[in-house]
Amino acid sequence: MQNAHDLKEYRGELSGALHNDFLREALDRFAVAYRTSRSNAFSGMDVDGLIKEIADGKDAAMARLDELLAEFTRKAEAAGAVVHVARDAEEANAIIADIAQKAGVKRVIKSKSMTAEEIHLNPYLEARGLEVTETDLGEWIIQLRHEGPTHMVMPAIHLSRYQVADLFTDVTGAKQEVDIEKLVKVARRELRRKFAEADMGISGGNFAVAETGSIVVCTNEGNARLVTTLPRVHVALVGLDKLTATVRDALTVLRALPKNATGQAITSYVSWITGATECQTAPGGKKEMHVVFLDNGRRKLAKDPLFSQVLRCIRCGACANVCPVYRLVGGHQLGHIYIGAIGLILTYFYHGKDKAKNLVQNCINCGACKAVCAGGIDLPRLIKEIHARIQDEEGHPLQSALLGRVLKSRKLFHTLLRTAKSVQKPITGGTPFLRHLPMIFAKGQEFRALPAIAETPFRDRFASIKPKVANPRLRVALFSGCVQDFVYPEQAEAAVKLLGKHDIDVTFPMEQSCCGLPVQMMGEREASRSVAAQNVNAFAPDSCDYILTLCASCASHLKHGYPEILADDPVMAARARTFAEKIIDFSSFAHDVLKVAPGEFTADGKRTTYHAPCHLCRGLGVTKAPRELISTCGLDYVPCEEEDVCCGFGGTYSMKFPELSAELLKKKLANVEKTGAELLLTDCPGCIMQLRGGFEAKGGRGVRVIHVAEALAERLK
Amino acid sequence: MSDRNRLVELFTEKAQLTSAIVARVKTLDEALAYTVDVCEKKEACQILMSGCESELSDKAGELCDGKPGKVIVAPALPKADFARLRDMCQAHGIHCLSGGMRKHLGGVDVGFTIAQGGFVETGSLVLDSDSEELRLATMLCEVHVCMLPVSTLREKSYDVAEQTSALASDGPSYVAYVTGASRTADIERVLAIGVHGPLEMHILLLED
């Protein structure tokens, strides 16, 4: 639940969650176990193909939402159901309360429904004198605790067996042992009584199948089977996004849903309920069956060219399962009602920008969610888009507006960097780190040492190091990104050295500037567009075979971000696409294009591990090349645990949420240290800044952090 | 290996992964005898506890008091078959019911059903659940014994799409895919079997 008024208050809540040891351990265990069980569950299956099929099916269904609704209504009503469509939460609540009143209902039992959580159905019904009991074990537990869920499929994942035992002791009035098996049995008996007494059952629905007019409900506990059987009235509350054309389409989603949710092959029960089924205690022996469809903004979403993909969500919760931020703070902090990456987005559409404004800033943009989403939703992009929208509506914070303005002018930006360099001496103490940062910049940043600005930026060095190649094999234009230009020019230099050896003609267009990802991350759309256009114009794509960049974040932003950002610009759209096609990251270039071989290097067999930058392994799908390069250049590669989990940098994220960034870094460094490696290689100067700074802050011992390009260049014969 | 045998073996493997117990029978009578046997052994071992031994609130405890001894319920059996099952039960001092489940909300020992189909890839049963008695029996029993004719077994969930669609069309209907026993992992993600429904699932593959 989001109740924080501003970012400061929200940060306070995050800090509280960070100190909840049980939560941290529970989510850590789950994050690690989930990865294995998901991959086992999908083993031997074409997962990408399945995701595509789900995405296409959902898109097609939402494009003819009204047609499917009409077909569903016809079929369901022919089978004796009554179909309602509620415009918003208030109307849905009113419809359900009205059904209850007309049927003389006193007691309601429910099976788990996120849609009911969305509209706050329980308090609405309770305020009208109805007794409402959740029957999914996790939902019942949080209902008894007056809390919201912290996970979409495991709502009580934040609670320990001790807390549940205490709670059940209160509920039964009898002392309960701390034994999960026994606690589950107590719930079985206590809830059985509620089932026996209820006159109305409310379920959600995983699908509303138009072909048959069926509501499909998936549960493991089987509670929905009782909820939809024992009481004389059944109300199924479903979002319009659950409309599905055919049984076959539902089965396609079902192939992914439980596997993606918890790594389970299928839920124990999948119930297909059509119309007014047999019910011996109802008048005429037929159940009173209602289907209440909830719109609450879904119809409008379905027509939105960018955001309609949100409706592909199958509510599996996988985006939370893999989110490094969720893993630190849990669902109460990383969501309002809906949780995880999709929660940040849905909160804006279903619960308003006030609940969403802090949340949407808490995405580190690592892309882990996008990589597992069963509907192939571009979650990180949509989160950024909403952040930008809210900022456009509410006004831009000073910091972000300033950064936007500075970045829009390359000259101003670079002059500032050069000025900073000339005055940083007292701060660096002659070291490559900023030692004595003024308090205003240093707050919360003690977990890592920030680097100093380099003596001479790469752009000023380039003329003197440009390889002289008589008959070039290829022409490469270098995009350095600001960090390698002004902080770590030696990394770009290392690449140039290797390229020269391979007879590659290298150019460095001087009009290039920051790639714009920082302003995109901060919701400064206007600045982001302007910087993108400047960079595209700085390169003449026809005069080079590749545009090479050593920064994974720049690379993925240039390749995937630019064509999207400039898509609406009639002049720039095509140029941006050509530009994007030429972009290649360093490891792919060295491995796939140069095809470097062991013979070029002097091997020294140093124990070496690797950190996979988010924007390389997921952003660009490059995983093999860098690891093979480590071996090719004669190093001894030792894999590191959770190699592809974010280091916590996230650009401006680490300035905004330093406490979370520090925790992610701590975990990363611990995993690296466990390998016993003396070298840590990676493909992104941002990650290097974070990782090197982290080791430095710990006392500068141990592991040397360098770019893959440097490791290669250092060993060139 | 014949396709039929391959399906049977794969189904057995997948169903066992969900902790179901899989056995093969040649006739319905063999399945009925198996069911009576399960019911008989059940008390001897006392392996299953559905919670009535727990410390409960008074009202929840009341539901536990009504059970008349050992009960098997077989809600959807043809009359003649049911009569044979009842005779077998009587010989073992077991009550045999064909319905009336609302009077037994506290629970019964064993429920016997016959599935209309199954699919191998997840070890799942397709169970026509139109009958309220069947729905209740399969939830209120502590052990669910389901006979699955091998001829109805299919490879993938997609292969039961048509069957599902046919069962779900033409008037009110209730179809269920049932895979293993009722389960939860809602407390600390620790798997616990039998939260609302059966604590054990037995699948009897009928070699028809």
Side-chain angles (χ1 to χ4, degrees):
Chain A
M1 282 277 189
Q2 289 303 305
N3 294 312
H5 294 92
D6 53 30
L7 197 60
K8 195 173 163 203
E9 232 178 276
Y10 179 52
R11 271 198 210 106
E13 288 174 5
L14 293 173
S15 191
L18 270 179
H19 294 101
N20 178 343
D21 291 340
F22 174 79
L23 177 75
R24 293 282 300 275
E25 276 170 40
L27 295 179
D28 258 349
R29 273 198 308 272
F30 175 55
V32 174
Y34 170 73
R35 208 172 301 143
T36 315
S37 46
R38 177 183 189 267
S39 101
N40 289 344
F42 278 118
S43 100
M45 284 173 72
D46 170 16
V47 185
D48 292 342
L50 180 60
I51 289 173
K52 173 117 192 9
E53 209 179 324
I54 292 172
D56 291 347
K58 285 280 210 174
D59 286 351
M62 288 303 101
R64 52 190 195 101
L65 193 155
D66 285 308
E67 204 183 307
L68 293 182
L69 178 62
E71 188 185 352
F72 179 93
T73 306
R74 208 166 51 243
K75 296 280 170 63
E77 295 200 332
V82 183
V83 177
H84 313 253
V85 181
R87 264 195 317 264
D88 52 23
E90 173 62 31
E91 200 171 285
N93 284 326
I95 288 171
I96 296 171
D98 189 50
I99 294 169
Q101 199 210 351
K102 284 195 180 127
V105 168
K106 298 218 161 41
R107 295 190 180 88
V108 177
I109 44 168
K110 283 181 67 210
S111 62
K112 193 167 144 24
S113 158
M114 284 306 296
T115 315
E117 298 279 351
E118 176 185 332
I119 64 170
H120 304 291
L121 177 62
N122 291 4
Y124 188 96
L125 296 180
E126 282 163 356
R128 278 148 191 83
L130 292 162
E131 180 194 300
V132 183
T133 308
E134 295 285 351
T135 62
D136 171 83
L137 177 58
E139 284 284 330
W140 189 50
I141 291 170
I142 61 166
Q143 183 190 27
L144 292 170
R145 287 175 57 93
H146 309 288
E147 288 181 334
T150 51
H151 190 279
M152 283 205 280
V153 296
M154 290 169 294
I157 191 173
H158 59 297
L159 297 172
S160 73
R161 64 189 79 186
Y162 299 96
Q163 288 166 297
V164 177
D166 287 348
L167 182 68
F168 284 8
T169 298
D170 289 347
V171 171
T172 58
K175 179 78 189 149
Q176 298 298 337
E177 278 178 65
V178 184
D179 177 324
I180 291 176
E181 193 94 355
K182 288 185 180 155
L183 292 169
V184 168
K185 296 293 152 47
V186 169
R188 176 184 174 102
R189 300 312 320 183
E190 294 294 333
L191 287 170
R192 188 63 64 85
R193 170 174 69 89
K194 300 286 185 184
F195 280 116
E197 294 169 349
D199 7 54
M200 177 165 160
I202 300 179
S203 75
N206 294 87
F207 313 101
V209 182
E211 178 193 353
T212 54
S214 313
I215 292 294
V216 186
V217 188
C218 303
T219 72
N220 276 320
E221 301 181 0
N223 55 321
R225 199 162 159 87
L226 285 172
V227 164
T228 57
T229 298
L230 279 168
R232 58 192 159 81
V233 184
H234 172 203
V235 175
L237 172 66
V238 285
L240 281 171
D241 50 314
K242 297 300 173 64
L243 278 163
T244 308
T246 61
V247 169
R248 160 95 195 191
D249 286 349
L251 290 175
T252 303
V253 175
L254 190 61
R255 286 175 84 74
L257 175 57
K259 296 185 182 82
N260 226 33
T262 57
Q264 198 182 342
I266 191 170
T267 52
S268 304
Y269 298 91
V270 179
S271 301
W272 307 70
I273 306 160
T274 317
T277 52
E278 186 190 349
C279 180
Q280 290 168 15
T281 52
K286 291 274 175 200
K287 180 163 314 249
E288 182 181 334
M289 169 30 154
H290 297 265
V291 179
V292 179
F293 280 106
L294 177 67
D295 183 337
N296 208 22
R298 286 165 173 81
R299 268 209 174 95
K300 196 171 155 216
L301 264 178
K303 295 192 178 82
D304 189 301
L306 177 61
F307 284 102
S308 61
Q309 55 180 308
V310 167
L311 300 178
R312 292 181 198 156
C313 174
I314 63 168
R315 305 283 188 267
C316 64
C319 56
N321 298 352
V322 297
C323 173
V325 178
Y326 174 83
R327 185 173 165 180
L328 291 179
V329 298
H332 284 158
Q333 263 60 47
L334 204 71
H336 176 55
I337 300 296
Y338 293 105
I339 286 145
I342 192 70
L344 305 196
I345 299 166
L346 292 182
T347 299
Y348 174 74
F349 288 108
Y350 298 160
H351 298 106
K353 70 180 164 200
D354 224 40
K355 300 288 182 196
K357 65 182 182 199
N358 299 318
L359 268 184
V360 290
Q361 302 187 52
N362 201 0
C363 164
I364 200 166
N365 199 30
C366 73
C369 50
K370 184 181 169 184
V372 294
C373 177
I377 305 171
D378 192 350
L379 296 154
R381 178 178 176 209
L382 300 187
I383 293 169
K384 296 289 161 270
E385 191 65 30
I386 290 172
H387 182 198
R389 273 195 192 189
I390 294 179
Q391 243 166 241
D392 288 350
E393 289 165 20
E394 300 248 292
H396 292 225
L398 186 61
Q399 251 186 335
S400 113
L402 260 182
L403 183 66
R405 212 169 298 166
V406 168
L407 281 194
K408 273 167 83 170
S409 161
R410 181 191 69 78
K411 282 194 181 135
L412 173 60
F413 177 45
H414 287 173
T415 307
L416 280 175
L417 285 169
R418 287 174 195 273
T419 312
K421 193 226 61 175
S422 62
V423 300
Q424 70 184 350
K425 244 299 142 56
I427 302 170
T428 62
T431 70
F433 294 101
L434 303 179
R435 294 281 168 206
H436 321 285
L437 268 183
M439 267 318 285
I440 183 171
F441 299 115
K443 200 158 170 256
Q445 294 293 326
E446 304 81 1
F447 67 98
R448 58 174 180 187
L450 291 167
I453 311 254
E455 199 48 44
T456 316
F458 181 77
R459 58 178 56 240
D460 294 356
R461 301 184 186 193
F462 183 71
S464 62
I465 60 163
K466 179 177 162 64
K468 293 181 182 49
V469 182
N471 297 305
R473 263 175 69 192
L474 290 167
R475 296 160 308 159
V476 165
L478 200 61
F479 183 91
S480 68
C482 13
V483 180
Q484 281 180 345
D485 197 352
F486 284 90
V487 181
Y488 300 134
E490 64 276 10
Q491 296 171 5
E493 253 180 89
V496 170
K497 187 175 161 194
L498 182 76
L499 266 53
K501 282 255 181 184
H502 279 262
D503 291 330
I504 307 291
D505 177 59
V506 191
T507 52
F508 183 83
M510 289 293 164
E511 290 305 308
Q512 64 179 287
S513 185
C514 168
C515 70
L517 184 60
V519 270
Q520 176 79 4
M521 283 281 289
M522 292 183 86
E524 295 293 326
R525 274 194 290 203
E526 181 25 45
S528 167
R529 253 195 302 271
S530 153
V531 176
Q534 280 177 51
N535 280 323
V536 171
N537 285 330
F539 284 74
D542 298 334
S543 65
C544 65
D545 301 301
Y546 291 98
I547 300 172
L548 175 69
T549 172
L550 280 78
C551 173
S553 297
C554 295
S556 110
H557 189 54
L558 301 177
K559 201 167 186 70
H560 301 310
Y562 276 24
E564 285 165 2
I565 292 170
L566 296 172
D568 298 333
D569 186 323
V571 186
M572 295 305 297
R575 297 195 64 170
R577 282 198 300 275
T578 321
F579 174 87
E581 277 162 23
K582 301 244 166 168
I583 298 291
I584 190 165
D585 64 282
F586 174 79
S587 280
S588 298
F589 188 74
H591 183 268
D592 306 343
V593 181
L594 297 183
K595 297 190 166 53
V596 296
E600 301 171 42
F601 304 98
T602 312
D604 56 29
K606 279 196 177 141
R607 202 174 168 82
T608 305
T609 194
Y610 181 67
H611 163 66
C614 302
H615 297 153
L616 190 77
C617 66
R618 286 178 292 273
L620 297 173
V622 177
T623 54
K624 247 175 67 183
R627 292 171 172 97
E628 289 188 8
L629 287 174
I630 298 177
S631 307
T632 304
C633 78
L635 293 164
D636 175 23
Y637 169 53
V638 210
C640 172
E641 266 174 51
E642 308 203 314
E643 225 164 55
D644 60 358
V645 173
C646 181
C647 66
F649 180 61
T652 46
Y653 182 91
S654 57
M655 305 302 279
K656 204 178 263 180
F657 298 104
E659 225 184 332
L660 301 184
S661 173
E663 284 303 313
L664 293 173
L665 177 60
K666 197 163 111 190
K667 210 172 279 184
K668 176 57 72 174
L669 296 186
N671 282 331
V672 169
E673 281 169 342
K674 262 193 273 176
T675 65
E678 55 180 305
L679 264 184
L680 170 60
L681 301 195
T682 188
D683 277 280
C684 183
C687 302
I688 291 178
M689 196 189 288
Q690 174 89 341
L691 296 163
R692 204 183 270 176
F695 279 122
E696 179 67 19
K698 282 177 78 176
R701 292 171 290 102
V703 189
R704 184 174 168 234
V705 189
I706 55 172
H707 197 282
V708 172
E710 293 175 280
L712 296 188
E714 284 172 7
R715 283 162 188 78
L716 267 179
K717 279 182 184 161
Chain B
M1 202 192 309
S2 74
D3 197 46
R4 194 179 151 98
N5 277 341
R6 188 182 61 86
L7 286 182
V8 165
E9 284 196 7
L10 264 177
F11 180 87
T12 306
E13 185 194 319
K14 293 291 185 184
Q16 283 169 345
L17 285 178
T18 69
S19 74
I21 296 159
V22 184
R24 299 173 79 160
V25 293
K26 290 201 168 57
T27 61
L28 172 63
D29 280 2
E30 206 184 312
L32 298 178
Y34 180 104
T35 307
V36 173
D37 194 44
V38 164
C39 189
E40 222 189 358
K41 282 188 183 145
K42 186 177 166 253
E43 209 171 48
C45 304
Q46 278 292 344
I47 46 164
L48 301 180
M49 293 186 291
S50 68
C52 279
E53 69 291 347
S54 307
E55 293 293 336
L56 300 172
S57 63
D58 294 341
K59 275 187 133 180
E62 281 166 21
L63 266 181
C64 290
D65 300 334
K67 195 165 159 272
K70 281 200 266 183
V71 178
I72 290 180
V73 56
L77 270 188
K79 267 196 179 143
D81 298 332
F82 180 77
R84 288 206 307 290
L85 175 64
R86 194 183 47 209
D87 291 346
M88 289 177 183
C89 286
Q90 262 166 8
H92 292 86
I94 296 168
H95 296 266
C96 188
L97 306 172
S98 64
M101 281 297 98
R102 282 184 185 264
K103 290 197 230 70
H104 294 85
L105 293 180
V108 295
D109 295 282
V110 180
F112 178 79
T113 59
I114 300 173
Q116 282 65 44
F119 45 98
V120 163
E121 63 178 347
T122 48
S124 305
L125 305 165
V126 178
L127 201 57
D128 181 342
S129 306
D130 283 359
S131 143
E132 176 185 297
E133 293 291 2
L134 181 134
R135 268 178 270 151
L136 291 177
T138 54
M139 288 309 293
L140 300 175
C141 64
E142 295 186 0
V143 181
H144 179 191
V145 182
C146 181
M147 187 176 81
L148 171 65
V150 170
S151 61
T152 65
L153 204 49
R154 299 290 177 268
E155 179 108 33
K156 290 177 185 281
S157 61
Y158 286 145
D159 301 327
V160 301
E162 257 175 63
Q163 184 185 20
T164 305
S165 177
L167 285 169
S169 300
D170 294 331
S173 72
Y174 202 119
V175 188
Y177 301 162
V178 182
T179 312
S182 156
R183 60 177 57 207
T184 185
D186 272 352
I187 305 177
E188 292 191 18
R189 288 179 43 253
V190 173
L191 180 66
I193 301 289
V195 57
H196 289 297
L199 296 95
E200 258 185 34
M201 171 93 207
H202 294 246
I203 301 169
L204 306 180
L205 293 168
L206 174 71
E207 291 165 23
D208 58 338

